[in-house]
Amino acid sequence: MKEWFPNVQKIAYEGPESDNPFAFKHYNADEVVMGRTMAEHLRFAVCYWHTFKNLGSDPFGGDTMIRSYNDARNEMKVAENTMQAAFEFFTKLGVHFWCFHDRDIAPEGDDLAETNKRLDKIVDLAESLQNDTGVKLLWGTTNAFTHRRFLAGASTNPSPDVFAYAACQVKKAMEITHRLGGQGYTFWGGREGYETLLNTDMARELDHLAGFLHLAVDYKEEIGFDGQFYIEPKPKEPTKHQYDFDAGSCHAFLQNYDLVDHFKLNIEANHATLAAHTFPHELEYAALNGLLGSVDANRGDMLLGWDTDQFPTDLYDTTLTMYIILRNGGFSPGGLNFDAHIRRQSIDPDDLFHAHIGGMDAFARGLKNAAKMIADGKFEGAVRKRYAGWETGIGARIETGQVGFADLEKYILETGEPELQSGRQELLENMLNEYI
Amino acid sequence: MKEWFPNVQKIAYEGPESDNPFAFKHYNADEVVMGRTMAEHLRFAVCYWHTFKNLGSDPFGGDTMIRSYNDARNEMKVAENTMQAAFEFFTKLGVHFWCFHDRDIAPEGDDLAETNKRLDKIVDLAESLQNDTGVKLLWGTTNAFTHRRFLAGASTNPSPDVFAYAACQVKKAMEITHRLGGQGYTFWGGREGYETLLNTDMARELDHLAGFLHLAVDYKEEIGFDGQFYIEPKPKEPTKHQYDFDAGSCHAFLQNYDLVDHFKLNIEANHATLAAHTFPHELEYAALNGLLGSVDANRGDMLLGWDTDQFPTDLYDTTLTMYIILRNGGFSPGGLNFDAHIRRQSIDPDDLFHAHIGGMDAFARGLKNAAKMIADGKFEGAVRKRYAGWETGIGARIETGQVGFADLEKYILETGEPELQSGRQELLENMLNEYI
Amino acid sequence: MKEWFPNVQKIAYEGPESDNPFAFKHYNADEVVMGRTMAEHLRFAVCYWHTFKNLGSDPFGGDTMIRSYNDARNEMKVAENTMQAAFEFFTKLGVHFWCFHDRDIAPEGDDLAETNKRLDKIVDLAESLQNDTGVKLLWGTTNAFTHRRFLAGASTNPSPDVFAYAACQVKKAMEITHRLGGQGYTFWGGREGYETLLNTDMARELDHLAGFLHLAVDYKEEIGFDGQFYIEPKPKEPTKHQYDFDAGSCHAFLQNYDLVDHFKLNIEANHATLAAHTFPHELEYAALNGLLGSVDANRGDMLLGWDTDQFPTDLYDTTLTMYIILRNGGFSPGGLNFDAHIRRQSIDPDDLFHAHIGGMDAFARGLKNAAKMIADGKFEGAVRKRYAGWETGIGARIETGQVGFADLEKYILETGEPELQSGRQELLENMLNEYI
Amino acid sequence: MKEWFPNVQKIAYEGPESDNPFAFKHYNADEVVMGRTMAEHLRFAVCYWHTFKNLGSDPFGGDTMIRSYNDARNEMKVAENTMQAAFEFFTKLGVHFWCFHDRDIAPEGDDLAETNKRLDKIVDLAESLQNDTGVKLLWGTTNAFTHRRFLAGASTNPSPDVFAYAACQVKKAMEITHRLGGQGYTFWGGREGYETLLNTDMARELDHLAGFLHLAVDYKEEIGFDGQFYIEPKPKEPTKHQYDFDAGSCHAFLQNYDLVDHFKLNIEANHATLAAHTFPHELEYAALNGLLGSVDANRGDMLLGWDTDQFPTDLYDTTLTMYIILRNGGFSPGGLNFDAHIRRQSIDPDDLFHAHIGGMDAFARGLKNAAKMIADGKFEGAVRKRYAGWETGIGARIETGQVGFADLEKYILETGEPELQSGRQELLENMLNEYI
């Protein structure tokens, strides 16, 4: 079989002293941390769209990356070669999961029937490669935003025909995800949003979005797919007003339309910051509402106003992320999907390896840091101490619903001005630095 | 009685040709638009905090504005003079409503009992001035964020004693609002939020916030107050992560804690934009979820990252706001509260009049523009046409729940690629300009 | 000759009462304002790249706009058809100027020689169309950012070969601009900037950028081109750190490298706001430093963090822009180039007309508003009064350099605390609203 | 002598294993790195305004921090106590420098003469404490922005009297800085900027600003002060349009007004990011233009739109900062001034120590990381290799001015399409992580 990345051999763990850019310095798949291997904790996935289909174009210029698997004349042959290359990449990198959109893996045909036939053919190949390699599907999804037909949304399109077309795509994508043993299925509302209220009936569009998701829930049951459904919040792109703005607005929507039991959230770092939240905030918000599903691991540029989807290398982020994940029992069936792409100037196939190695090493360090933070218990202790007043006395009576406004007034008239404590933010930040 | 604004007489409507800076050019209180007077539509309120208590300080410098009603040595005398001046201002300006925080109108005393006694004294005065002038209270509220005791929040404070103190304040503020015939009561979660997860138990804080609001709902019933409760969303200030980030996150919270029937939203223009939404978006989102309560009318500076609380003079904003308000039946018991302050350099009392006149004129133009837009029906027609596909055929069958994914697939396999229509954004924006 | 926009006839002025979406309501080319016709004042230009080559793609999806002039199989035939269509559009719209990049008008060939030959062929056609229609070239420019070869910059590329290639393109683009009687030539530093200091020698890159511009100045003289050179400031896109960030940084660069006499600035509205300045600020800064050259008229979305290049319809912006332009004597040889594109959903050729008509009407209103503001003299009077202290006494002595720190100290010890005046911002904003 | 921080003893270096929150874990003053001690490299300064005068107020609430040195009734006694406390703090912390504004150290009196007398008295005390402790003055400055008189600027005020008043303050502040052996003097243009062009003559204001600085240069010579003058760029706060927006705009201004030889820049991290630049970018830009003077070491919150002035603890920032500083020969007479304040909730005096210790440890790690990066030479090598083409051949001929556009065209016609290289950003970011 043709080798698509002949430059690179299987990436091995060589430890922090290694100078080899094609080795892990921190990610040691079988190393046990807090009772599980790193691989079990981190559940890394490679995404198909950025890693194999993104070739470096941006709004100011065309593709920059030349890949041998794109050389074939026939577009289905390109699709097959790319799938072969992808599994070679997964295997050499040593990740156990992948993620894809339907349109990443097979090009559209002249009509829907032909398109679905093409998909089936490529899924045959993917299935056999999964069997050969043991790589699994973390989640599948539909691309209902790239094609011209979705210019005004998919399920929120002013035209019911487009709604119907999107339904066809999701139906098929759920079927192939199911067939490939996918552990989840993600809904990112590509163009589900609007540009201007001057031409938009937002109430109707939100109703349609909810109706669509209910149809998906029905179909899930119909085909017996038991993977987890995820909604992925994102603001601002591509429509100015994306309906799934952030974790909070998704939470509102899911409750409002009786969908909250059927979905969890797939939280992406760069989407969090575009919505003016920290990544840890969105994770914690999801977790405390029972919605923490999976993670799109990347990093934004805080000086730029769009989704830069850079590889996650910030050790503060990886440490705090893993601290939240571990304290919430880890994630499964979710995982860490690298929804990230190499920079336009990083034109070599080698750069794909560098990027993923860097992200995996950064999360391995984050995992170890977080495990140490939990073992030391300093942060948990600080928080517990700060809220200690709620465990007894008036605090406990408030929490158990034994007092009303009048009782509280009486209490304060007796006890007077509350005592205050320092928030100790600087000390806690210093403590955190000692784990980095 | 002493006159506090001797420079200025009652502001009259003089029409667009007037050159008099102390006259309305567009706001004509008794002029009838769409069946109601301008005054009935717009329900303007002056806010006490910015107009009378804000003296121009900012993080880089102290007060700049010298006001005669602050001259008295005794702080209760200052409070009385200020209340007199305020009602003179309301009357000269010709607004029918005012809004206040407890701590705006009376200074805190040595302890809560003394503070409440002071409040009662000033409320006596306010009540008599209301009776004399016919000016009404749009809503009251509590300031549980300025005092040092609230440095880590009020109901979300790590200390239950501060929760209790906040309860006392809200209890009293509800009582005086009730006594003054207030048509609403607003909860702006001043410091209800957090700075860093390193010292925060967000789950517990959100539970406490909800518990607190339930106590307020109980107390409302207890005292027979039938004004509307409002929550005012705001992001980023003063805590980095405000729990009431935007309309969506408030909606999630209210649903999650069974509070959605007891609250509407008080939407502020500048809070909307700080949360990366347009003001019209937040209004429309609130309206379609039955949460459109009242409006804090101001304007932010889109190049600055904080709440600048400028007076609303942008005619696009006032037009689109009134378009949404009118199409949702107007607001009552809500209103347009000028939560805005004059710039630090606008040091003269005259500037207070200029600012409010400008805001009222801008909303009067907005109201007339919006009424004309509704009468012409062009925008409504464009929207109706765009969604016409949902009225019959497959669209109607989707909306009435008669089809599933399989039916939709069958439909598309038969009908093929959907037809697309232009969103016509530029044309609609041109049309809007003809109303400005 | 084939008609490419058969739906649309020549756009006529019909006045504000017209309901015809294909008519001007405010732009009346021959109407005289302050001694010149609107056409002479506004000098509108249509840009080739957005209006004819942008087909609605964005980072999340492909082209949406189908144009008959793109139907030909042969790419040179497409180029010719597009040029024909462009001049039909200019003529029907009634603009007197156009602008283009080399690569907009002719596709690259297999090598530079072939590419230049193609350019010559298309320029022949453009020249003849210019002669036929009387439409003139406001300015030409080079596209040295779209092609893969410029992934790391053009004149600031780490490779001298790319610098050389960019030189070839600018040389040729200057030649054809000269041949077409272009009144200016613009340098927008597409990818002149950097992504990360980890791989960048900024000092060297800036030296190369300056060296390149000096070569262009030399070549300008060599070929006798007497059009105006412009630099167009822009931050953040496409590189994270664009060297020509804003007017201030361009001013620093031009001074530092002895280029200040050879260049003026082409100020773009949306680039100004991306750099955290208002558009009027950048215009005024350029004007007071003798650098106000030309304007890229568009509008950004202040809630989105990238260059949205929307058509300029905000009447505040057009009014204040024209107020600055008029007070600085108008612009010539510069003009108002619509560096704007219709939204992705505006898929019809009609939308191109709507968009330009709206922008032209908005600037016509801005021009008339500004002329009235100047005639009334209220704003100028307010400014003059505010600075009146500098005309006599200590103010005049300071301005004429007659005093030092010790004299000023003596003055203050004698005169004491300065008197302060209100900045009157709210009143001035109200006054402005009366012109809108 | 009274001890103001009795809780805390002299902070000692205890190494990374220490758990003592009042010990350095990384900053070891006398440890030699690249031939100089850490203390010589880092030149830490404590700032007077944030550390001793900022008591936690924000736009939404009053002071939160209670300090024993503020207890005295008499405000001059408070000033003396604070100065005593400050030197105790410097000494216990082990920093060698401090910085102040005139108004930080002594309160204004009834008139300028009285104010200056008060200053002299406190400077007597400061001088004696400097002598006692060996702590030196890194730089002094004037506060010409807090007092009401400066509401519309100091040297850029519309009133010449305010210009004159500002001159008096700068004169006196320069004198006391000189007397205290200050190694520099900083100009931060507090309110030197404008709010709206409607009331502003920007050209005149810029001329006045330059005139003022020329007077300061004259006076510097007159009194024989040989410290370094710094300008500190900052955008957006407190005026919307600050004239010293960023390093680039300061560079433009200094060149334009012939001041470039008299000033360097004092670059602040949080000011850089508010201006949409990275901190390293501003440092590098300053360095390559010979303007790198001193550093205000702090950290902003990238999700908040104002100057949060947090203590610098991000190891990426401290590493890259020190990498630039070291490669530019270190700074002297500049230093690292902690222009940072503890959070509003950090109410204990202990928090002042925690904050500074954390910042010093973070910079110590940054220094060691940077020294290692320089010693390893990997980054420098990567950059050198990337630009190697300029050392010979066409690159060298371009750099030495031997070729024009025609030569370059000839070269490309012969050599054809340039070869491209990967920018290797991901690999370089991975390499950087190995130093963190």
Side-chain angles (χ1 to χ4, degrees), chain B residues 41-45 97-99 137-140 183-187 228-233 263-269 271 279 282-284 286-287 290-297 321 325 330-339 363:
Chain B
H41 275 296
L42 295 168
R43 296 173 60 82
F44 290 125
F97 295 98
W98 67 303
C99 295
L137 180 60
L138 189 66
W139 46 260
Q183 304 188 5
Y185 185 90
T186 292
F187 292 82
Q228 175 65 49
F229 269 2
Y230 305 113
I231 287 198
E232 180 173 326
F263 288 84
K264 296 199 174 198
L265 299 181
N266 182 39
I267 303 288
E268 176 172 330
H271 294 180
F279 182 32
E282 289 287 89
L283 293 169
E284 186 82 9
L291 296 171
L292 182 53
S294 197
V295 167
D296 268 10
T321 300
I325 301 290
F331 41 21
S332 176
L336 285 168
N337 173 47
F338 287 114
D339 192 356
F363 266 102

Side-chain angles (χ1 to χ4, degrees), chain B residues 187-204:
Chain B
F187 292 82
W188 171 55
R191 296 190 191 271
E192 311 296 31
Y194 70 94
E195 295 297 332
T196 171
L197 281 178
L198 295 178
N199 69 11
T200 301
D201 182 340
M202 179 165 30
R204 199 164 199 171

Side-chain angles (χ1 to χ4, degrees), chain B residues 226-252:
Chain B
D226 61 357
Q228 175 65 49
F229 269 2
Y230 305 113
I231 287 198
E232 180 173 326
K234 183 178 181 191
K236 294 182 181 177
E237 284 182 343
T239 76
K240 173 169 171 165
H241 299 278
Q242 294 284 116
Y243 291 131
D244 298 331
F245 186 84
D246 59 3
S249 65
C250 289
H251 188 209

Side-chain angles (χ1 to χ4, degrees), chain C residues 9-230:
Chain C
Q9 304 311 308
K10 177 140 181 56
I11 308 299
Y13 170 73
E14 297 187 359
E17 301 312 314
S18 168
D19 219 24
N20 177 0
F22 292 101
F24 294 118
K25 283 143 208 79
H26 306 281
Y27 178 65
N28 188 3
D30 299 325
E31 184 178 331
V32 174
V33 176
M34 283 181 68
R36 276 193 276 182
T37 65
M38 282 197 181
E40 286 165 341
H41 276 295
L42 294 168
R43 296 173 59 83
F44 290 123
V46 169
C47 83
Y48 211 90
W49 51 101
H50 280 319
T51 299
F52 305 109
K53 303 305 288 181
N54 186 321
L55 298 170
S57 72
D58 72 11
F60 299 86
D63 291 345
T64 59
M65 299 165 190
I66 296 164
R67 299 286 185 254
S68 56
Y69 39 86
N70 287 326
D71 278 354
R73 290 265 175 94
N74 175 297
E75 57 180 357
M76 278 302 284
K77 187 65 191 160
V78 167
E80 283 165 27
N81 287 349
T82 305
M83 187 63 78
Q84 301 273 8
F87 275 81
E88 182 189 327
F89 184 83
F90 305 151
T91 307
K92 286 189 166 169
L93 189 63
V95 297
H96 299 170
F97 297 97
W98 67 304
C99 296
F100 71 94
H101 300 85
D102 47 5
R103 298 302 178 251
D104 300 334
I105 60 173
E108 292 204 33
D110 286 344
D111 57 26
L112 183 64
E114 172 65 18
T115 299
N116 284 348
K117 216 178 296 172
R118 289 174 163 206
L119 259 180
D120 288 333
K121 185 152 179 232
I122 296 292
V123 168
D124 288 346
L125 174 60
E127 194 173 29
S128 111
L129 288 164
Q130 285 196 167
N131 289 340
D132 293 351
T133 60
V135 173
K136 290 177 184 142
L137 180 60
L138 189 67
W139 46 260
T141 186
T142 317
N143 178 329
F145 50 90
T146 292
H147 193 281
R148 177 178 185 269
R149 81 175 65 90
F150 299 115
L151 55 81
S155 66
T156 63
N157 201 290
S159 155
D161 287 4
V162 180
F163 179 105
Y165 207 105
C168 303
Q169 287 195 200
V170 172
K171 176 176 178 291
K172 183 70 182 174
M174 284 173 63
E175 289 163 5
I176 60 178
T177 297
H178 187 34
R179 180 175 158 205
L180 290 170
Q183 305 189 6
Y185 186 91
T186 293
F187 291 83
W188 171 56
R191 296 190 191 271
E192 310 295 32
Y194 70 93
E195 295 297 332
T196 172
L197 282 178
L198 294 179
N199 69 12
T200 302
D201 183 340
M202 179 164 33
R204 200 163 199 171
E205 293 201 357
L206 285 167
D207 286 349
H208 293 169
L209 177 56
F212 190 93
L213 295 179
H214 273 292
L215 294 182
V217 168
D218 294 346
Y219 194 66
K220 188 185 173 198
E221 190 159 328
E222 194 175 326
I223 62 173
F225 173 53
D226 62 358
Q228 175 65 49
F229 269 2
Y230 305 113

